[in-house]
Amino acid sequence: ARQRRPGRANVNHIAPKDTHYRMVLMGGGGATNAGRNTGDREGKNVSAKTKIAWCRSTFSPWIGCTEVSPGCDACYARVMDFRHQLGGVTHWGRGVPRRRTAVSTWGYPPRWDRAAAHELATGKVVVQDPWLGPPGFWPVFPSMCDPFDNEVDPEWRWDFLTMVSETPYLTWQLLTKRIGNVAGMLPAWWDDPDAWWPELGWKAAHLNVWIGASVVNQDEADRDIPKLLKVPAGRRFVSYEPALGPIAFRREWLAGLDQVIVGGESNQGWHRARPFDLGWARSVVEQCRVAGVAVFVKQLGTKPYAVEGSVEAKEWGAFDQVVAAMDDGGRIHCRDRKGGAPSEWPKDLRVREWPR
């Protein structure tokens, strides 16, 4: 089996001044989009800041994917790819070549890793951004691809997973709609603790890697969550977004999960969002609370609603501090077009938890 590539970062290097890390983190200037600041045309695929509430930064080793689920109908990454067409073509669909991102783009995660180490050492967040989590906790999400896409050059995935293993201070959120591919695509050293920073006291491998399954309804949950629970990972999570139907999480599933993310669908390009019943979110929040699993309500989507006869439909105006309006048909109208502002929600849905 191929061995781990040499040359991993020096984790003991901590810069003496926060200003140094602000410059390194943002690529030397301070623009929100790191790539734009360096003239990298692919800067849109890497960002030190992001509007995705459950991560802190985004990095995509390549661009492109193929739709495999009803949840893919409103894929924002596909819309972005269609809009920008790097190289003059799109990169979505079966048999369509993916595009590996630029060398300069690949330079950002190691910088963030050093910044995260600095935050842990100083107890201070080095960049003032929308991130509200603790210093040193730096979740990174590959937002423009599926890490376990079987139409990607295996060498690209090898390079990506090697970088993941060389950035121990980052938390990598590897979310996939192809959870059945994962076990066969992990490198031989994945389960070897000696290959994963024993000098940091790690007694198990891949502690900084969260692997998640994306599901939209009960059928997908029944098919994919059991597969997720067999995957070796530091944490396991489920992204129930876009939620297209209710899900009853089995007790044995929740026993093996660390987090569930919940969200309604938003309009994307030509696709109009499908309805999101607030009762689905409330049910998952309660299931997770009983089981002691962290739950993160990301957004209500563009078309949240309350079914006739539900608590929301009967008593919407009585909900504590609720801002969004409801029409006579049960449609809830948020000022935020994606329903992503918790201040507009019923107070009991304003839940954004991280695993302990």
Side-chain angles (χ1 to χ4, degrees), residues 98-163:
R98 310 321 188 208
R99 178 185 176 92
R100 180 161 172 153
T101 49
V103 172
S104 57
T105 298
W106 284 65
Y108 284 98
R111 298 179 187 182
W112 300 337
D113 185 67
R114 294 193 292 272
H118 181 67
E119 289 189 357
L120 282 175
T122 63
K124 297 189 296 182
V125 174
V126 298
V127 174
Q128 296 303 314
D129 57 25
W131 178 245
L132 301 177
F137 180 42
W138 206 298
V140 180
F141 168 53
S143 61
M144 294 291 293
C145 67
D146 186 322
F148 302 101
D149 181 356
N150 56 322
E151 295 193 55
V152 168
D153 185 340
E155 185 73 14
W156 295 6
R157 185 164 27 251
W158 171 273
D159 292 342
F160 172 54
L161 294 178
T162 297
M163 185 179 67

Side-chain angles (χ1 to χ4, degrees), residues 107-343:
Y108 284 98
R111 298 179 187 182
W112 300 337
D113 185 67
R114 294 193 292 272
H118 181 67
E119 289 189 357
L120 282 175
T122 63
K124 297 189 296 182
V125 174
V126 298
V127 174
Q128 296 303 314
D129 57 25
W131 178 245
L132 301 177
F137 180 42
W138 206 298
V140 180
F141 168 53
S143 61
M144 294 291 293
C145 67
D146 186 322
F148 302 101
D149 181 356
N150 56 322
E151 295 193 55
V152 168
D153 185 340
E155 185 73 14
W156 295 6
R157 185 164 27 251
W158 171 273
D159 292 342
F160 172 54
L161 294 178
T162 297
M163 185 179 67
V164 167
S165 73
E166 293 175 351
T167 48
Y169 289 102
L170 299 181
T171 296
W172 287 94
Q173 298 168 305
L174 306 187
L175 179 63
T176 179
K177 287 189 177 296
R178 299 164 173 81
I179 194 65
N181 289 352
V182 176
M185 292 182 174
L186 296 176
W189 45 260
W190 191 260
D191 278 327
D192 180 7
D194 292 335
W196 290 80
W197 302 100
E199 58 268 43
L200 295 183
W202 288 23
K203 299 185 184 303
H206 46 67
L207 293 183
N208 67 326
V209 181
W210 297 12
I211 293 182
S214 175
V215 301
V216 302
N217 54 33
Q218 190 70 53
D219 287 344
E220 291 193 354
D222 291 341
R223 181 192 67 199
D224 290 343
I225 294 180
K227 298 175 185 176
L228 170 64
L229 298 180
K230 297 177 181 178
V231 170
R235 302 276 192 181
R236 299 178 185 88
F237 69 102
V238 165
S239 175
Y240 173 38
E241 184 190 14
L244 301 181
I247 292 182
F249 285 81
R250 298 177 184 174
R251 184 178 303 175
E252 60 269 26
W253 296 352
L254 291 169
L257 294 177
D258 297 284
Q259 186 185 42
V260 177
I261 299 168
V262 185
E265 189 172 62
S266 58
N267 291 338
Q268 294 292 341
W270 55 87
H271 180 84
R272 300 296 91 183
R274 288 161 285 191
F276 174 61
D277 182 354
L278 262 63
W280 302 343
R282 183 162 284 110
S283 171
V284 172
V285 168
E286 181 59 24
Q287 291 177 66
C288 289
R289 179 172 290 123
V290 171
V293 175
V295 61
F296 193 107
V297 181
K298 178 195 170 191
Q299 63 183 44
L300 303 188
T302 302
K303 196 179 292 184
Y305 77 102
V307 297
E308 184 177 357
S310 68
V311 175
E312 289 87 357
K314 292 178 179 178
E315 303 180 14
W316 183 253
F319 274 95
D320 189 17
Q321 302 179 20
V322 72
V323 174
M326 179 186 292
D327 61 26
D328 292 340
R331 170 81 181 275
I332 299 161
H333 298 271
C334 297
R335 297 172 185 171
D336 184 285
R337 66 185 184 87
K338 295 184 179 181
S343 61

Side-chain angles (χ1 to χ4, degrees), residues 51-96:
K51 294 182 180 179
I52 302 174
W54 47 264
C55 68
R56 185 169 178 180
S57 300
T58 60
F59 163 80
S60 296
W62 57 82
I63 304 166
C65 196
T66 298
E67 301 87 340
V68 294
S69 159
C72 300
D73 293 350
C75 178
Y76 73 91
R78 180 184 60 187
V79 173
M80 290 283 290
D81 181 57
F82 180 82
R83 181 181 303 159
H84 297 290
Q85 296 192 19
L86 292 173
V89 297
T90 59
H91 310 89
W92 242 258
R94 191 174 304 280
V96 177

